[in-house]
Amino acid sequence: MIAGGARPEPKEPFRPSGRQIGGAIIAVLLLVFIVTNTDDAQVTLLVTDVTMPLWLVLAITALLGVVVGMGLGARRTKRKYMEV
């Protein structure tokens, strides 16, 4: 209880931004695309060939894309604040 009996201000309800909605739609489409591709695929890793399920190849590629995107976003944010 807050001193004086005053109630705290209610928090604003969560309202996703357009970027968040777009990201969620892309994530769902990517997930559907990955799940529907279940055949085996032969992948060449530098000098060796590996056969693995296509869904696994797609999932690994998507995760690597997310990691690279986050790294580039962090770099851009850092540079933006260093210039100020």
Side-chain angles (χ1 to χ4, degrees):
M1 187 94 189
I2 296 177
R7 291 185 170 210
E9 292 290 324
K11 292 184 179 180
E12 291 184 26
F14 175 71
R15 301 191 75 184
S17 68
R19 182 177 283 185
Q20 289 172 327
I21 293 171
I25 291 171
I26 290 171
V28 168
L29 291 175
L30 179 63
L31 188 62
V32 169
F33 181 70
I34 289 172
V35 170
T36 58
N37 286 288
T38 57
D39 296 337
D40 283 345
Q42 187 172 355
V43 180
T44 303
L45 301 171
L46 297 177
V47 293
T48 183
D49 290 338
V50 178
T51 302
M52 58 178 51
L54 183 57
W55 68 266
L56 185 59
V57 175
L58 293 169
I60 291 170
T61 304
L63 287 174
L64 288 174
V66 168
V67 169
V68 169
M70 289 174 60
L72 292 176
R75 181 176 177 200
R76 183 172 47 133
T77 302
K78 182 179 177 183
R79 184 179 299 162
K80 178 181 169 183
Y81 286 113
M82 290 180 74
E83 291 176 359
V84 173

